[in-house]
Amino acid sequence: APTLGSHPALYPYVLKHINEQPIQAELRETASKMEWAQMMGAPDEAQFLGWLVRTMRLDNILEVGVFRGTTALALGLALKDNGSTGKLIGFDVSEDYAKVGMDAWKAAGVDGLIDFRVGPGLDGLDALIADGKEGKFDLAFIDADKVNYVGYYERCLKLLRPGGIIAVDNVLWDGTVINDPSTHDDSTKAIVAISELIRNDKRVTATMVPIADGVYLCTKL
């Protein structure tokens, strides 16, 4: 059985070993006291994605759903550490939630590496496709409204280069995905649908990883 599932008290021990920078811990602690704190990206997941960017030297990143900007900060720091010439393009429907994160990005010296765009993620991704950006991105992180997950996934797949990675967040959805389907709300139905799509998608090779609330990692073939 998964160790964290059997011993949930281990999670604080895990957080001691993810090597957050002080600015990251400060932002996380501030955001945890704000409205809708449960929507904030998990720190172990953010650090995993940052590690992935550092290790694979990924340059051009998409983030659909920025919220408080904690994951964007982790990714921006990874780009900075790599001396990358690329950028993270992040989409969210509101700038208000991200203001605290934007202050942290500036304090960390990564604000110039993050292109934050306000508006619906589908529209933003469509604009990139219309601008000829298909095949130009290395990594896409999807963590926005669940009912549009399939739409985000399909657009990100177009924007990724072969070998690029999509990370789809919240695929375990606090365990509700295994509840009686008759009890599923629209978000749960959408998460089950995207997971089944990925599992059977011949355009990618993929694995579901039980980090945080579950992340489906997909590599474009």
Side-chain angles (χ1 to χ4, degrees):
T3 301
L4 277 177
S6 303
H7 303 282
L10 276 174
Y11 191 60
Y13 177 82
V14 171
L15 295 187
K16 288 182 180 179
H17 293 271
I18 63 172
N19 297 318
E20 283 183 309
Q21 294 189 20
I23 187 65
Q24 292 178 274
E26 180 181 336
L27 174 59
R28 176 165 58 86
E29 290 165 8
T30 299
S32 69
K33 299 171 185 175
M34 301 176 76
E35 183 183 21
W36 303 109
Q38 72 275 14
M39 290 173 53
M40 182 173 59
D44 48 333
E45 182 180 33
Q47 287 302 91
F48 170 75
L49 293 172
W51 170 84
L52 195 66
V53 169
R54 289 180 178 89
T55 302
M56 298 188 68
R57 310 293 297 185
L58 306 179
D59 289 311
N60 297 300
I61 303 170
L62 295 167
E63 184 179 12
V64 186
V66 173
F67 192 50
R68 299 295 186 196
T70 53
T71 302
L73 176 59
L75 295 169
L77 287 168
L79 291 175
K80 181 182 178 183
D81 288 350
N82 283 353
S84 175
T85 58
K87 280 195 174 184
L88 181 155
I89 298 177
F91 300 101
D92 208 291
V93 293
S94 172
E95 185 176 332
D96 292 338
Y97 288 132
K99 283 180 179 177
V100 64
M102 294 168 74
D103 290 340
W105 303 343
K106 186 173 182 179
V110 300
D111 51 318
L113 296 170
I114 299 173
D115 180 356
F116 178 60
R117 303 183 182 186
V118 179
L122 293 177
D123 292 350
L125 295 171
D126 283 340
L128 289 174
I129 293 168
D131 195 33
K133 301 299 185 183
E134 289 190 31
K136 302 296 185 183
F137 290 86
D138 304 306
L139 172 67
F141 179 51
I142 299 173
D143 184 21
D145 58 303
K146 311 312 171 192
V147 295
N148 283 313
Y149 260 27
V150 170
Y152 297 141
Y153 174 79
E154 292 292 347
R155 288 160 174 79
C156 286
L157 200 58
K158 289 182 179 180
L159 290 162
L160 280 187
R161 61 168 172 81
I165 298 167
I166 298 178
V168 182
D169 198 21
N170 298 119
V171 291
L172 297 181
W173 205 224
D174 199 30
T176 58
V177 291
I178 61 171
N179 290 349
D180 184 337
S182 68
T183 68
H184 289 180
D185 61 13
D186 289 344
S187 292
T188 308
K189 290 175 183 177
I191 289 170
V192 171
I194 189 63
S195 296
E196 286 302 302
L197 170 61
I198 294 170
R199 185 167 72 94
N200 295 292
D201 195 345
K202 304 303 182 184
R203 300 169 294 175
V204 302
T205 179
T207 187
M208 185 181 288
V209 180
I211 296 175
D213 194 26
V215 58
Y216 225 140
L217 296 171
C218 321
T219 303
K220 181 178 177 179
L221 298 176

